[in-house]
Amino acid sequence: MRFAKVVVDVPVAQTNRIFDYEIPVHMEQSVFPGMRVIVPFGPRKIMGYVLEVTNHSDIDKIKPINDLMDVTPVLTKELLELGKWLADYTLSFYISTFQAMLPQALKASYEKEIHRLTDVLPQNLETFFAGRDYISYQSFIDAGGSYQNLQQAIQAGDIEVIYHVHSKETTKKRTMIFSKVEPLVLEEAIANLPKQATKKKQILRFFQEQTKPIEKKQLFNQLNTTHNTVKQLINDGLLKEEKIEVYRNPYQNKEVERSSPLPLMDQQKQAMDPICEALDDNLHCVFLLQGVTGSGKTEVYLQAIQHAMEKNKEAIVLVPEIALTPQMVERFKARFGPKVAVMHSALSKGERYDEWRKIHRKEVQVVVGARSAVFAPFENLGLIIIDEEHETSYKQDEHPRYHARDVAIQRATYHHCPVVLGSATPSLESFARAQKGIYQLLSMPQRMNEAEMPTVQLVDMRDELHAGNRTMFSRQLKQAMEERIARKEQIVLFLNRRGYSTFVMCRDCGHVNNCPHCDIALTYHRHNQRLKCHYCNYEERMPSECPECESDTIRYFGTGTQKVEEALQEMLPEANIIRMDVDTTRRKGAHERLLTKFGNKQADILLGTQMIAKGLDFANVTLVGVLAADSMLNIPDFRASEKTFQLLTQVSGRAGRHQLPGEVIVQTYTPEHYSIDLASTYDYDAFFKKEMLIRKTYQYPPYYFLTLITVSHPNQLKVMEVTKTISLLLRKHLSDQARILGPTPSPITKIKDRYRYQCMVKYKNEPNQRKILKKILAYFEDEMKKEDLFIQIDLQPYQLM
Ligand code: ADP
Ligand code: ZN
Ligand code: ZN
């Protein structure tokens, strides 16, 4: 008797363990770890993942597996282990972590189809197909088909099982014909054919030359032959026919011109060599590649990947979602052609499933993708690269709350391979680790072709106000734009819309009210006219005049891109403007269309949010304008300064990347703030020192770890009470060294009629914390299920609202 250890699809604490099921005799040879099965659970039948197959179970009353969902495993052994580790690491359920590793289409669809890959199936299978191209899995099982037959046929390459994806595009297949035997054997076959078989002879002669598969249709046209003649040669075992899928991938349609490796510059060689050495020695280590924008990091990635591929290993490249531009993807496609799979959210469900399948079938060796591509089911990983490693979008803000960097390091440890973290402005966490020698620092301080970083001019918007300019464009920026338009050069204008519009600032002197305890901007509450700190609950009255300069121009902050576009058009009526934000890029392909338009110089100005800050490379852009550098600076987040520094550096990197020199104009109300000032001189080291000092003083990462617990419920009293209980429990059970802040309302106090409260733990070393938090979750589980209570625990949070 064989048994399967199964994790079931019921995400509550009581079921977050492994259940034993009996494997029925007819499935005995067909169940493997990493497959999904349908199992009885109470009165229901649900999905589960098989973790292990054993000969032994301690359970008395054991139930049998009902059905198999997969015919081949969808998760490798490594990914199963990774899932268990990740569940513990992020306080998630096993089932959530396994689900996070698979493409949506696989999870959504239980409907399988069996597709034939050849016209000549073994007789025992042909009876089920009866000439059809594909049949449903269910009809196969209903007609008495066996799992074992199926698995053998998959192994032999006769059929494949795919999940039916509900989408307009269906899988397209082309039938290819190729010779199954050596040219010499064909020669003999030709000699053995009767004299009158001229057509057959002609076909076989053709295949003496044609060694690559040729599309059936093309063969028919070229040789003016028929289906029957070819089929006879297939039956004779001389030719073979195979259906090859035409994937839905949108990038596939466009022919990308292939590129070849560039001779590396010295600084690139010095970065590349240690990475390749680690690869050659099967050594796990983490490299932090700090290279200014335009220093040639991507070329280093490309060549390091090539090195891995030459050793028959695979590579994962993670890129932030918004930097996963067609331009970026094209560079990888150009170098590695069909060996690359691309995974990001702009693809349809079906397209993403196709890309995943290319990895699963080992058709590709490289995947370029956003966060979740870190789970690509490669089995021979040689390299993981995380570009723009400082980007906070690498942290997932829903279950399981993982950081791609942690997962990458975990996987690379398993595979004994290097991880490369690349950035012009590394996160404080990573740079601090590099300084301690935990990561190995590789630096590329020079831009390609000795190009200078563009000069950054800070414009003090307070002076503009005093000079009577009440528009959102300074006189300097206006003049610089007019010059560029006259010279037919292009402009990128950046507006940070992620800025939080509820902080108040004096437009006269730039003063912002900060919490005296937490050093983050206080948030304005309209209903009671008060300013509040969302970490510690400190509050004060909304001032009617600026506490610094007594001006009465103190007010909230924030403007939308559309308003800016209108004002811009009014000021520069002759300018062609492209606006890029969530609204104009919602439609599929819009992002690419707009960029192509700008690249073809069909517009003078590209105006946009975060999504234009990264990865764009246009030769003709000589001016970058930042409209409101302060809006990022004053979000209620202790990383506000770091984010501002990173963003300004990033944006500046968009200008003057090629022959023409670049200029950057940054408009701000606080030019003296260190993150704006130091970004204008590209002084990362000085910024790092200054910011580390502040983190130390106010006890933030990387000196301290954080845990953020957010509670929400429609009833405010309930939320307050639960959050209070949680903070009391934490105070009681954590060590004296841990600091527990709160309960306090979350920065966003109410979402969809649910009140939100939080408490935050700052700590250095609390080995018991996970255990305590699990107990707390278990304690409230009933209320979470029945009373619509929601408790969210985020270890090392990046999203603090
Ligand atoms: P980064 O990724 O650091 O911003 P890129 O890889 O985009 O930098 O390189 C900037 C520019 O320099 C690109 O146009 C790239 O093609 C070019 N480049 C990179 N490496 C070399 C090299 N070794 N020789 C010549 N040009 C290079
Ligand atoms: Zn003031
Ligand atoms: Zn505070």
Side-chain angles (χ1 to χ4, degrees):
M1 186 81 81
R2 313 262 294 156
F3 303 92
K5 305 222 170 268
V6 176
V7 162
V8 296
D9 185 9
V10 184
V12 293
Q14 291 134 5
T15 58
N16 192 38
R17 52 188 192 87
I18 294 155
F19 293 89
D20 286 10
Y21 287 92
E22 182 193 315
I23 302 176
V25 179
H26 68 284
M27 286 182 198
E28 210 148 75
Q29 304 301 316
S30 311
V31 180
F32 297 99
M35 281 183 181
R36 296 169 304 164
V37 288
I38 304 290
V39 291
F41 194 80
R44 294 182 295 153
K45 285 182 179 175
I46 59 171
M47 189 272 287
Y49 287 85
V50 177
L51 293 189
E52 234 182 286
V53 175
T54 64
N55 293 319
H56 170 81
S57 171
D58 293 328
I59 314 295
D60 293 336
K61 276 175 62 188
I62 194 158
K63 290 183 193 161
I65 291 174
N66 293 121
D67 201 358
L68 292 179
M69 277 186 69
D70 301 310
V71 184
T72 47
V74 291
L75 293 179
T76 61
K77 285 210 171 99
E78 182 225 349
L79 290 177
L80 289 173
E81 283 306 312
L82 185 76
K84 284 198 274 184
W85 166 80
L86 191 58
D88 185 56
Y89 189 72
T90 60
L91 293 180
S92 311
F93 301 121
Y94 293 142
I95 193 72
S96 322
T97 57
F98 293 142
Q99 294 285 65
M101 297 178 180
L102 294 179
Q104 194 62 36
L106 262 186
K107 293 177 273 180
S109 174
Y110 289 12
E111 284 171 49
K112 289 193 288 293
E113 291 165 354
I114 308 173
H115 288 233
R116 72 155 79 221
L117 293 173
T118 163
D119 269 353
V120 236
L121 284 174
Q123 199 47 49
N124 61 346
L125 276 174
E126 191 57 59
T127 44
F128 294 105
F129 277 80
R132 284 171 291 181
D133 264 359
Y134 68 91
I135 55 175
S136 82
Y137 179 80
Q138 201 52 48
S139 69
F140 173 80
I141 295 297
D142 291 347
S146 89
Y147 300 116
Q148 239 173 311
N149 273 347
L150 213 51
Q151 273 164 347
Q152 277 163 4
I154 290 172
Q155 292 270 306
D158 289 336
I159 56 158
E160 66 171 339
V161 173
I162 61 177
Y163 293 85
H164 178 72
V165 179
H166 295 277
S167 83
K168 288 198 196 87
E169 321 104 291
T170 46
T171 47
K172 272 200 254 150
K173 291 214 169 92
R174 286 187 305 187
T175 308
M176 309 295 283
I177 309 282
F178 54 96
S179 167
K180 227 180 134 179
V181 296
E182 298 292 315
L184 266 178
V185 183
L186 289 178
E187 191 64 55
E188 209 177 299
I190 294 168
N192 289 340
L193 281 171
K195 210 167 156 207
Q196 64 275 28
T198 45
K199 208 76 225 177
K200 280 191 183 174
K201 284 183 185 174
Q202 188 198 355
I203 297 171
L204 293 182
R205 288 226 174 81
F206 174 82
F207 278 105
Q208 281 184 300
E209 302 292 320
Q210 173 81 23
T211 44
K212 278 196 200 136
I214 175 169
E215 195 169 354
K216 197 171 177 178
K217 267 195 221 129
Q218 198 190 336
L219 182 74
F220 288 2
N221 285 340
Q222 218 164 316
L223 300 186
N224 196 18
T225 180
T226 59
H227 183 76
N228 255 343
T229 322
V230 173
K231 185 145 192 198
Q232 283 170 26
L233 291 170
I234 291 172
N235 286 340
D236 291 343
L238 295 169
L239 300 184
K240 190 161 159 86
E241 176 181 75
E242 214 168 84
K243 288 179 194 288
I244 292 176
E245 190 170 331
V246 186
Y247 287 109
R248 284 167 276 217
N249 183 356
Y251 294 103
Q252 203 88 25
N253 304 334
K254 210 167 79 186
E255 274 305 316
V256 182
E257 203 175 311
R258 293 297 287 266
S259 74
S260 34
L262 302 166
L264 292 183
M265 305 301 228
D266 275 350
Q267 64 171 11
Q268 286 174 312
K269 267 198 220 90
Q270 279 160 24
M272 169 99 171
D273 288 346
I275 300 171
C276 291
E277 270 166 40
L279 236 158
D280 292 344
D281 298 345
N282 292 323
L283 205 68
H284 166 64
C285 50
V286 183
F287 295 101
L288 177 61
L289 173 58
Q290 185 184 25
V292 296
T293 48
S295 59
K297 293 188 291 296
T298 312
E299 187 61 35
V300 172
Y301 301 157
L302 290 169
Q303 296 197 23
I305 293 168
Q306 185 167 350
H307 190 80
M309 288 168 80
E310 281 160 8
K311 313 214 108 195
N312 274 323
K313 294 199 173 168
E314 295 134 356
I316 297 176
V317 184
L318 300 184
V319 176
E321 186 71 56
I322 47 172
L324 202 54
T325 58
Q327 274 191 327
M328 185 75 181
V329 170
E330 227 165 76
R331 289 180 76 174
F332 285 86
K333 286 269 176 201
R335 193 63 58 87
F336 304 120
K339 288 281 163 199
V340 186
V342 178
M343 296 240 226
H344 64 91
S345 64
L347 301 180
S348 74
K349 250 197 229 168
E351 287 164 350
R352 252 180 291 174
Y353 174 46
D354 285 348
E355 297 296 291
W356 180 85
R357 225 148 18 113
K358 287 187 201 164
I359 305 167
H360 196 230
R361 293 163 152 190
K362 314 244 180 300
E363 291 174 3
V364 296
Q365 272 177 286
V366 184
V367 58
V368 180
R371 183 178 58 227
S372 64
V374 76
F375 297 117
F378 283 134
E379 292 184 87
N380 197 17
L381 262 178
L383 182 62
I384 306 180
I385 292 165
I386 304 186
D387 190 31
E388 315 273 11
E389 72 87 30
H390 60 275
E391 270 293 313
T392 53
S393 64
Y394 284 124
K395 172 77 191 256
Q396 170 150 305
D397 22 300
E398 58 192 51
H399 262 305
R401 295 191 165 75
Y402 68 91
H403 196 296
R405 195 198 295 132
D406 300 330
V407 177
I409 290 172
Q410 184 75 9
R411 287 198 76 181
T413 310
Y414 177 93
H415 287 278
H416 306 286
C417 76
V419 174
V420 177
L421 308 175
S423 176
T425 51
S427 62
L428 256 68
E429 283 90 339
S430 293
F431 201 75
R433 275 178 211 149
Q435 295 231 309
K436 278 182 160 176
I438 302 169
Y439 296 168
Q440 204 174 318
L441 186 65
L442 307 168
S443 311
M444 301 208 300
Q446 255 101 46
R447 277 192 137 183
M448 273 304 132
N449 311 322
E450 314 277 289
E452 292 291 317
M453 289 301 285
T455 49
V456 179
Q457 187 189 354
L458 298 180
V459 176
D460 192 333
M461 291 303 278
R462 295 169 298 194
D463 295 345
E464 292 300 299
L465 188 72
H466 297 157
N469 176 10
R470 292 184 165 269
T471 72
M472 45 187 123
F473 308 99
S474 61
R475 292 161 294 175
Q476 291 94 318
L477 183 59
K478 177 168 184 267
Q479 196 196 333
M481 286 196 288
E482 284 165 347
E483 282 167 19
R484 293 315 185 291
I485 293 170
R487 289 209 299 261
K488 302 255 179 282
E489 293 171 6
Q490 288 172 294
I491 302 156
V492 168
L493 272 192
F494 178 77
L495 178 77
N496 181 13
R497 220 181 46 114
R498 244 192 244 160
Y500 199 53
S501 65
T502 54
F503 74 95
V504 294
M505 181 167 78
C506 171
R507 292 194 64 167
D508 230 315
C509 76
H511 174 81
V512 173
N513 284 42
N514 273 357
C515 172
H517 311 293
C518 303
D519 194 44
I520 58 158
L522 294 173
T523 306
Y524 174 57
H525 285 245
R526 191 197 302 262
H527 67 100
N528 58 3
Q529 295 287 307
R530 292 184 78 79
L531 298 176
K532 267 191 188 170
C533 169
H534 283 287
Y535 287 1
C536 76
N537 232 3
Y538 167 86
E539 60 173 87
E540 62 186 42
R541 197 176 49 81
M542 164 78 185
S544 56
E545 57 186 39
C546 173
E548 204 59 42
C549 74
E550 296 179 0
S551 156
D552 60 0
T553 58
I554 187 158
R555 57 177 63 109
Y556 333 62
F557 211 70
T559 333
T561 33
Q562 201 172 344
K563 261 172 107 180
V564 177
E565 187 189 11
E566 285 163 20
L568 189 61
Q569 195 70 77
E570 200 172 306
M571 184 176 77
L572 304 169
E574 75 284 10
N576 269 316
I577 304 166
I578 292 178
R579 170 161 67 96
M580 245 173 84
D581 57 21
V582 274
D583 295 327
T584 62
T585 54
R586 198 168 290 138
R587 299 250 325 262
K588 202 165 174 240
H591 193 218
E592 183 171 9
R593 260 198 309 283
L594 292 176
L595 287 181
T596 309
K597 209 171 145 194
F598 189 65
N600 294 339
K601 303 189 190 170
Q602 285 169 282
D604 306 294
I605 303 174
L606 178 65
L607 166 70
T609 53
Q610 253 82 351
M611 65 177 74
I612 64 169
K614 295 186 179 69
L616 301 187
D617 191 359
F618 294 111
N620 198 41
V621 172
T622 58
L623 175 66
V624 168
V626 179
L627 291 179
D630 312 78
S631 54
M632 185 67 126
L633 200 52
N634 294 299
I635 52 173
D637 183 331
F638 71 90
R639 287 193 180 86
S641 300
E642 185 183 355
K643 285 181 177 170
T644 302
F645 182 86
Q646 287 162 348
L647 199 65
L648 290 180
T649 311
Q650 205 62 252
V651 174
S652 306
R654 297 305 115 219
R657 288 172 68 87
H658 296 264
Q659 269 74 34
L660 299 168
E663 186 189 356
V664 180
I665 294 180
V666 175
Q667 300 190 158
T668 169
Y669 288 90
T670 45
E672 65 282 0
H673 190 283
Y674 64 95
S675 66
I676 293 177
D677 180 34
L678 292 172
S680 78
T681 53
Y682 303 100
D683 196 344
Y684 180 86
D685 290 337
F687 173 78
F688 178 78
K689 281 204 191 82
K690 172 94 188 164
E691 183 66 15
M692 285 295 272
L693 207 64
I694 292 171
R695 300 286 178 91
K696 192 172 185 179
T697 310
Y698 292 97
Q699 304 186 326
Y700 286 124
Y703 289 99
Y704 284 76
F705 293 111
L706 294 185
T707 302
L708 179 67
I709 299 152
T710 308
V711 181
S712 77
H713 190 270
N715 181 328
Q716 191 172 10
L717 279 176
K718 178 80 193 168
V719 182
M720 287 165 65
E721 177 208 319
V722 172
T723 321
K724 185 143 184 240
T725 310
I726 291 174
S727 54
L728 284 175
L729 286 170
L730 288 172
R731 280 196 180 93
K732 189 161 157 221
H733 294 287
L734 290 179
S735 80
D736 297 343
Q737 262 82 56
R739 287 193 57 205
I740 292 112
L741 308 182
T744 144
S746 297
I748 302 173
T749 47
K750 202 171 161 190
I751 296 179
K752 290 183 187 156
D753 288 321
R754 299 176 66 88
Y755 289 90
R756 304 170 82 238
Y757 269 66
Q758 68 180 41
C759 73
M760 193 191 270
V761 186
K762 290 181 176 178
Y763 64 99
K764 283 225 165 203
N765 184 22
E766 294 294 329
N768 284 326
Q769 187 185 221
R770 281 195 170 76
K771 215 164 72 199
I772 295 161
L773 291 170
K774 275 186 196 169
K775 276 193 183 150
I776 290 176
L777 284 175
Y779 178 79
F780 285 107
E781 178 147 52
D782 249 9
E783 284 175 81
M784 283 157 72
K785 266 201 313 227
K786 294 185 193 124
E787 292 178 36
D788 199 16
L789 176 71
F790 193 71
I791 300 173
Q792 164 187 317
I793 298 180
D794 197 349
L795 298 150
Q796 314 332 323
Y798 283 79
Q799 174 61 265
L800 293 149
M801 296 194 224

